Amino acid sequence: MNRHNEWILILDYGSQFTQLIARRLREFNIYCEIHPFNVDLSTVSEPVPKGIILSGSPKSVNDDDAPSLQTDILDWDVPILGVCYGLQLLAHTQIPGSVEKADKREFGRAHLIVDNNNGILKDVEDNSVVWMSHGDHIHELPSSYVIVGHTNNAGVAAVHHKEKEIYGVQFHPEVAHTDCGKQILHNFAFDICGLSGDWTANSFVEEQIEAIRKKVGNDKVLCALSGGVDSTVVATLIHKAIGDQLECVFVDNGLLRKDEFNEVLDLYIKDLELPVRGVDASELFLTRLTGVSDPEKKRKIIGVTFIDVFEKEIGGQSEFKYLAQGTLYPDVIESVSFKGPSATIKSHHNVGGLPEKMKLDLIEPVRELFKDEVREVGKALGIPAHFIGRHPFPGPGLGIRVIGELSKERLDLLREADKIFIDELKNQGLYDDVWQALAVLLPVQSVGVMGDERTYEFTAAIRAVTSVDGMTADWAHLPYDFLGTVSNRIINEVKGINRVVYDISSKPPATIEWE
């Protein structure tokens, strides 16, 4: 880990909002890392963080299996902010039994009454809305703390240690519903921890170029390009660091969007001047995938086939020591969560089997970044804006957007519908207003009427969402006239589709992709 000198450690106690704490700090250009509450402290003490935040938790501090506080951090002499469970843990650690079930639980909006607007509550407006989510409350505050804020139901809503830079809030400053949330985190990071907010895309690029050169030395790196933003940023960053010690392979798996392989390959070679080899393996992929309907089986076939193609292309070239991948920070956080491995919703799209089979070490230069931060790094690297602004595209491509059995004919239908949808978004100036847009071909045929003839054809679902980083998303409220235009064009121009529906589900509970 090439850790930034100025950083904040976030200890995760299981809150669904923990990633949001990191997102808010990153918006201030502050580097931070999320680690499980029971992390080996020796691994996060070089350099010592400038501040520590204790997250919320679904647990009660009085539960038998409640996650505990590693009290050694209290000796580090760095500012600490406890959020919800984190605050209760600070009290409970000092006075066991000081936290108990509240007579009136608080979930949702409450109004913060500011008793002292210095320190953590500086410039926080009195009676502003905060977001509560707790069934316990502190009934006995340790004498070393003073209350600086309360609500009608919570006598202890914000506290400050009398002698040390230790603070706590009973609400969640990281969520958008808390009016003063950003101000509170800003107060903690800049005024209390003394950070300067110098972690920018340009500084990240400089640090990573140095780190890549140091790690790779004179060895060679192989990069699997998907045509997406993440792998493109990774390849451009590594190429800037080590030049032609990098070799990229861009595979046409037959699951890309219309004309995408040639257009993206052209960008790689002409605009970015990457050392890239284009491989048309579409026939092999489609042969193995034809007739397959289970989404997880599709993903596994695609992954295995990628490995086979790479082995054929790179086989015998023993000079490669590293494989570059576009792993992002949400993947890293999920893999180290103290809650243990989550249920398999879908396989990760990175070609995870390659290092094991090809004896390559991984190099993942953007594993510290969220999706929107990768885009900022791409801009700093000079990647064209029209490419950086491309919507996310899944590793398995259209293979998981054709619901049910795969075939070339169904993929071609979807390609045409998808192009019409994306082209219309661009034509009407709506493309940049949505985070991701896609078309899905459903395994549902229905009766239609075209002229004097009855049709029995497929249904296409179109989906567009707004989001910051894909962790949560809302369906995009696109104009009715626009949706009507897209529907008419798809039905009139794509023979085989006679019905179009618009997906208005949000994430959660739905996912952005259908499979």
Side-chain angles (χ1 to χ4, degrees):
M1 175 71 71
N2 185 41
R3 186 174 288 136
H4 196 63
N5 285 328
E6 281 195 358
W7 72 291
I8 287 180
L9 167 63
I10 302 168
L11 292 177
D12 180 20
Y13 288 86
S15 169
Q16 61 179 316
F17 301 134
T18 302
Q19 285 197 32
L20 288 179
I21 300 175
R23 292 295 304 117
R24 298 295 170 258
L25 293 174
R26 295 284 182 89
E27 288 169 8
F28 298 141
N29 293 330
I30 289 170
Y31 182 65
C32 56
E33 292 178 16
I34 297 173
H35 290 275
F37 74 96
N38 55 359
V39 64
D40 180 350
L41 293 181
S42 67
T43 64
V44 292
S45 59
E46 288 294 335
V48 172
K50 300 293 185 182
I52 300 172
I53 296 179
L54 314 177
S55 84
S57 174
K59 294 284 189 180
S60 164
V61 294
N62 295 313
D63 290 345
D64 291 339
D65 58 347
S68 59
L69 177 70
Q70 295 196 62
T71 55
D72 286 356
I73 64 171
L74 301 176
D75 299 327
W76 283 7
D77 194 29
V78 301
I80 296 173
L81 172 62
V83 173
C84 196
Y85 181 92
L87 163 60
Q88 295 175 359
L89 194 59
L90 289 168
H92 177 76
T93 300
Q94 193 165 340
I95 306 177
S98 60
V99 178
E100 63 183 15
K101 288 199 175 297
D103 293 332
K104 293 184 178 180
R105 300 182 302 169
E106 279 191 308
F107 292 94
R109 290 175 174 83
H111 291 272
L112 177 67
I113 300 165
V114 177
D115 300 310
N116 185 330
N117 60 0
N118 292 315
I120 198 69
L121 298 185
K122 188 186 84 169
D123 294 332
V124 170
E125 187 176 341
D126 191 32
N127 211 39
S128 59
V129 172
V130 295
W131 188 259
M132 292 285 192
S133 181
H134 65 100
D136 291 351
H137 76 139
I138 297 173
H139 71 89
E140 183 181 358
L141 188 68
S143 60
S144 52
Y145 289 87
V146 60
I147 297 172
V148 296
H150 69 280
T151 69
N152 288 333
N153 288 333
V156 181
V159 305
H160 177 197
H161 195 283
K162 293 176 181 177
E163 299 175 358
K164 300 178 180 179
E165 296 285 10
I166 302 178
Y167 303 82
V169 291
Q170 185 57 72
F171 50 89
H172 287 274
E174 67 272 26
V175 303
H177 303 299
T178 296
D179 292 342
C180 54
K182 284 191 175 182
Q183 181 62 48
I184 288 171
L185 292 174
H186 187 281
N187 291 341
F188 180 72
F190 290 99
D191 296 348
I192 296 168
C193 297
L195 297 177
S196 58
D198 63 348
W199 192 67
T200 62
N202 285 323
S203 69
F204 176 84
V205 168
E206 292 171 5
E207 290 172 2
Q208 283 300 318
I209 286 176
E210 182 182 344
I212 291 166
R213 286 173 178 163
K214 184 177 180 180
K215 180 173 183 175
V216 173
N218 296 319
D219 292 312
K220 292 197 70 175
V221 178
L222 175 66
C223 181
L225 286 167
S226 68
V229 174
D230 302 337
S231 64
T232 302
V233 168
V234 165
T236 306
L237 182 59
I238 294 174
H239 188 239
K240 196 171 277 288
I242 61 172
D244 289 344
Q245 290 172 247
L246 170 72
E247 182 169 343
C248 303
V249 177
F250 180 36
V251 176
D252 183 357
N253 57 8
L255 305 171
L256 300 173
R257 288 168 286 203
K258 187 174 181 179
D259 302 326
E260 185 169 33
F261 180 70
N262 290 328
E263 289 174 0
V264 173
L265 189 60
D266 199 52
L267 171 98
Y268 286 155
I269 295 172
K270 293 182 179 178
D271 292 2
L272 301 181
E273 299 181 346
L274 291 174
V276 59
R277 183 189 316 178
V279 179
D280 183 357
S282 55
E283 188 174 336
L284 175 62
F285 277 87
L286 292 177
T287 298
R288 294 183 178 184
L289 286 165
T290 296
V292 177
S293 57
D294 179 76
E296 192 62 18
K297 190 173 181 182
K298 290 178 185 176
R299 280 185 163 83
K300 288 179 178 175
I301 290 173
I302 292 167
V304 168
T305 307
F306 262 119
I307 294 170
D308 291 345
V309 170
F310 265 80
E311 285 188 322
K312 181 180 178 182
E313 290 297 316
I314 309 299
Q317 298 185 41
S318 58
E319 69 269 27
F320 290 105
K321 183 176 179 181
Y322 295 98
L323 175 78
Q325 283 192 171
T327 306
L328 300 186
Y329 198 43
D331 301 318
V332 177
I333 296 168
E334 185 174 342
S335 69
V336 301
S337 169
F338 85 89
K339 292 169 284 189
S342 57
T344 301
I345 298 173
K346 56 188 178 181
S347 300
H348 195 271
H349 66 260
N350 279 333
V351 191
L354 278 172
E356 183 179 343
K357 292 197 71 171
M358 300 180 68
K359 304 290 190 289
L360 299 178
D361 294 328
L362 280 180
I363 182 166
E364 302 168 304
V366 298
R367 73 191 312 270
E368 302 168 356
L369 304 183
F370 290 95
K371 185 77 177 188
D372 54 314
E373 294 172 326
V374 173
R375 288 196 172 103
E376 291 303 314
V377 169
K379 292 175 186 175
L381 289 167
I383 298 174
H386 70 86
F387 186 87
I388 289 298
R390 278 162 53 102
H391 293 170
F393 189 64
L398 300 183
I400 56 166
R401 292 181 179 174
V402 172
I403 311 301
E405 288 190 7
L406 275 179
S407 68
K408 186 177 186 304
E409 293 71 27
R410 293 185 180 187
L411 285 164
D412 286 341
L413 282 180
L414 179 57
R415 258 186 273 272
E416 295 298 329
D418 178 81
K419 182 167 176 56
I420 289 171
F421 184 28
I422 299 302
D423 283 351
E424 282 298 330
L425 283 168
K426 292 177 178 177
N427 292 341
Q428 299 196 33
L430 296 168
Y431 186 82
D432 292 333
D433 293 341
V434 301
W435 193 77
Q436 185 172 355
L438 59 135
V440 176
L441 188 70
L442 303 183
V444 175
Q445 291 177 283
S446 63
V447 174
V449 178
M450 291 188 180
D452 295 327
E453 297 182 359
R454 291 169 71 82
T455 60
Y456 191 62
E457 296 176 341
F458 286 102
T459 299
I462 55 176
R463 177 152 171 74
V465 299
T466 56
S467 181
V468 173
D469 45 36
M471 292 187 293
T472 60
D474 192 15
W475 62 278
H477 295 233
L478 296 174
Y480 292 154
D481 288 347
F482 168 80
L483 293 174
T485 299
V486 171
S487 176
N488 287 337
R489 281 199 60 194
I490 290 174
I491 291 171
N492 289 329
E493 298 176 31
V494 184
K495 184 173 175 54
I497 295 175
N498 67 356
R499 193 175 298 270
V500 175
V501 298
Y502 186 51
D503 182 348
I504 59 170
S505 22
S506 298
K507 175 188 178 182
T511 54
I512 295 176
E513 298 287 345
W514 278 46
E515 288 189 341

